[in-house]
Amino acid sequence: MISVLDLSPVVPVVVLPDASVAVPLARALVAGGLPAIEVTLRTPAALDAIRAIADEVPRAVVGAGTVITPEQVDACVAAGARFLVSPGWTQALLDAMRGSGVPFLPGVSTASEVVALLERGVRDMKFFPARAAGGTEYLRSLAGPLPQARFCPTGGIGPATAPEYLALPNVGCVGGSWMVPADAVAERDWARIEALARAAAGLSAGGTCR
């Protein structure tokens, strides 16, 4: 399986209150250069949104975020999710994600959690909540003793700080929601979202365009 960390340097983290906006939103993100889209299971519309994107936006790689139970794993994959992201993990959740057949990122915020996942053969992880859990300084300190672990930090990251994370040797991508502001989604301003996505897609370590 390809790693989630190799899909895109920036993964939009999307909360959708209404599934009817899922397809045009996904098209705007893909047009802006961000094909990997994490739809979080924070609203009742999430599964329908994942299904719509999977069916109608073939260039999108739609995934599910905030996955916290084995039952959600099954439902998300059935809806068409092509990757899974969790804010944390248990053995039961990890087993379900392993058995899903799609790439996954279990969430961690401590060195002990990282070591526990490495012990289980998992090398790619979500670091959450990134800013609150220590940000770039914490991730940099993990790179020395645990170089085999790679991360997608998410939580409190914006366009100004994303390049600092992307510059770290153990960061494959970052997750964020700054390119899908709630007011733009509510106003269905897809042109604005596409422009924000294009700017995010151009971010690299050091803040220069790729």
Side-chain angles (χ1 to χ4, degrees):
M1 294 187 296
I2 187 173
S3 169
V4 180
L5 302 184
D6 298 325
L7 294 174
S8 174
V10 178
V11 177
V13 179
V14 179
V15 181
L16 290 176
D18 182 353
S20 68
V21 303
V23 168
L25 174 63
R27 286 175 176 158
L29 291 170
V30 170
L34 298 179
I37 303 167
E38 177 188 332
V39 178
T40 68
L41 301 185
R42 300 182 190 178
T43 70
L47 286 176
D48 287 338
I50 290 170
R51 188 174 294 108
I53 295 170
D55 289 345
E56 300 184 44
V57 192
R59 292 173 57 203
V61 182
V62 64
T66 321
V67 178
I68 58 173
T69 69
E71 292 75 19
Q72 288 177 332
V73 169
D74 294 339
C76 291
V77 174
R82 294 170 61 185
F83 65 90
L84 305 168
V85 183
S86 68
W89 65 279
T90 64
Q91 189 61 54
L93 179 59
L94 184 63
D95 290 343
M97 290 192 293
R98 273 191 197 277
S100 69
V102 301
F104 59 92
L105 291 177
V108 297
S109 61
T110 69
S112 294
E113 292 170 323
V114 175
V115 171
L117 283 177
L118 291 174
E119 187 178 79
R120 290 161 172 78
V122 178
R123 295 174 179 267
D124 295 348
M125 312 168 195
K126 171 179 177 173
F127 181 62
F128 175 83
R131 184 173 63 183
T136 55
E137 290 187 16
Y138 193 89
L139 285 170
R140 187 179 293 110
S141 70
L142 290 179
L146 303 169
Q148 62 272 56
R150 295 200 308 156
F151 302 95
C152 173
T154 305
I157 298 174
T161 56
E164 300 172 12
Y165 285 92
L166 291 170
L168 298 174
N170 55 352
V171 169
C173 66
V174 299
S177 58
W178 73 87
M179 72 296 294
V180 283
D183 60 335
V185 175
E187 295 165 10
R188 305 190 178 216
D189 190 346
W190 312 128
R192 179 184 170 197
I193 289 173
E194 181 179 339
L196 290 169
R198 185 170 292 108
L203 291 175
S204 64
T208 58
C209 289
R210 293 177 182 271

